[in-house]
Amino acid sequence: MIEVRELTVKFKRFVAVDDVSLSVAADETVGLVGESGSGKTTVARAIVGLQRPDSGTITLDGVRLGPVARRPKARQRAIQMVFQDPRSSLNPLMSVASIINEAWRTHPDSAPTGDRTMAVHRLLEDVGLDPSVARHRADELSGGQCQRVSIARALAVKPRLLVCDEAVSALDVSVQAQILRLLVDLRRRHRLSMLFISHDLGVVHQIADRIAVMRGGVLVEEGPATEVLGSPRHDYTRSLLDAALELNTHHGEVGK
Ligand SMILES: Nc1ncnc2c1ncn2[C@@H]1O[C@H](COP(=O)(O)OP(=O)(O)O)[C@@H](O)[C@H]1O
Ligand SMILES: [Mg+2]
């Protein structure tokens, strides 16, 4: 469905993403993992069209995607992003209902034809929130609730690919697990494709069908999750795996 081919992004002379090829099929969740600074966010920004590649292409259904401003509306809304910090990605002074309605204003072809209030309530229920949350401002919500609202806003425009960039990284471990469960549930119910980005392999392994590992801008390993986790080919993947296991032991939580 979405295909990144030989993507290179430079900041001045620094190569942040170096010849990365990566694809996400329909219904598939691909985990993109790597330590901070490895280039994951830059790949995500290129996919949503916020970062211009120095070379390489990004295609959706085989058709090339340009920068977001030049993407046809339907192709803009096909790819939605959920960010790490829900507090800074939501306007704190806007009500949850207006946040969702704004998404429909931006993409009118995804707006409900019937009662919008009811549609907002349905969306909130879909992400495990009480419909009464619609009246609240973002700054009245907890971190976990904010992240559910961000997910609802993304879903409001009926995307095909959800790019989650460290979407659970800023949350407490217990809330992190709840949001992960929600994403797993949503991908199944809405047949969503997902690019799930995290520095934490322990989190990625709970959701990804396939895992791609980046280091220093380079994709060092990629394959089915069971293979990458079960018999990592690259030393770097092995060290991420050890770090994740150690963390899980400390938190008293082991994977799946
Ligand atoms: N706008 C920018 N200008 C200059 N350097 C940047 C910019 N964005 C990212 N970088 C650099 O590119 C590298 C990759 O960053 P990023 O994609 O955010 O990595 P990750 O998401 O894996 O932590 C880092 O060294 C970062 O400092
Ligand atoms: Mg990042």
Side-chain angles (χ1 to χ4, degrees), residues 219-242:
L219 202 96
V220 295
E221 178 156 2
E222 194 263 308
T226 46
E227 279 175 30
V228 171
L229 296 163
S231 48
R233 284 189 301 263
H234 202 283
D235 282 344
Y236 179 63
T237 309
R238 208 162 297 131
S239 68
L240 288 177
L241 202 55
D242 290 343

Side-chain angles (χ1 to χ4, degrees), residues 4-249:
V4 175
R5 224 173 286 148
E6 296 167 6
L7 176 71
T8 295
V9 178
K10 296 177 192 162
F11 296 110
K12 301 235 167 72
R13 292 167 75 186
F14 173 73
V15 184
V17 175
D18 189 359
D19 200 25
V20 165
S21 296
L22 182 73
S23 62
V24 186
D27 276 353
E28 186 182 42
T29 293
V30 174
L32 181 58
V33 71
E35 67 198 346
S36 171
S38 56
K40 308 179 299 295
T41 294
T42 307
V43 170
R45 288 174 51 83
I47 291 173
V48 297
L50 296 170
Q51 176 64 54
R52 189 186 296 272
D54 286 274
S55 61
T57 57
I58 295 152
T59 57
L60 174 64
D61 300 327
V63 180
R64 201 165 161 174
L65 289 168
V68 68
R70 282 203 259 121
R71 290 183 186 182
K73 277 270 162 153
R75 292 161 66 74
Q76 252 184 46
R77 87 180 159 82
I79 306 172
Q80 293 295 314
M81 196 155 166
V82 177
F83 298 91
Q84 165 162 5
D85 183 3
R87 296 208 182 278
S88 60
S89 60
L90 299 176
N91 182 335
L93 302 179
M94 268 169 82
S95 76
V96 168
S98 351
I99 288 169
I100 308 262
N101 273 288
E102 193 181 61
W104 287 329
R105 242 191 324 277
T106 311
H107 295 290
D109 48 338
S110 67
T113 45
D115 184 350
R116 296 224 173 162
T117 308
M118 286 303 296
V120 168
H121 289 179
R122 271 198 303 276
L123 260 174
L124 294 178
E125 281 174 338
D126 202 21
V127 297
L129 287 172
D130 192 273
S132 64
V133 167
R135 293 192 305 270
H136 289 273
R137 288 194 327 236
D139 67 357
E140 297 170 324
L141 306 177
S142 71
Q145 285 175 318
C146 278
Q147 203 53 306
R148 287 177 196 268
V149 171
S150 304
I151 295 166
R153 175 178 61 180
L155 293 180
V157 303
K158 304 188 178 74
R160 295 171 56 199
L161 175 75
L162 204 57
V163 178
C164 300
D165 188 7
E166 305 278 4
V168 302
S169 305
L171 305 170
D172 295 342
V173 176
S174 67
V175 182
Q176 204 175 67
Q178 290 165 16
I179 300 293
L180 265 173
R181 265 200 301 279
L182 171 68
L183 289 170
V184 169
D185 187 42
L186 288 171
R187 68 169 281 215
R188 192 175 44 230
R189 284 194 282 120
H190 295 283
R191 317 202 69 200
L192 272 173
S193 299
M194 232 182 262
L195 180 63
F196 186 91
I197 300 172
S198 175
H199 65 282
D200 184 349
L201 193 52
V203 167
V204 168
H205 107 277
Q206 299 184 51
I207 191 166
D209 305 312
R210 271 195 308 129
I211 295 179
V213 183
M214 277 185 83
R215 183 189 199 186
V218 178
L219 202 96
V220 295
E221 178 156 2
E222 194 263 308
T226 46
E227 279 175 30
V228 171
L229 296 163
S231 48
R233 284 189 301 263
H234 202 283
D235 282 344
Y236 179 63
T237 309
R238 208 162 297 131
S239 68
L240 288 177
L241 202 55
D242 290 343
L245 284 174
E246 200 167 303
L247 266 177
N248 281 342
T249 312

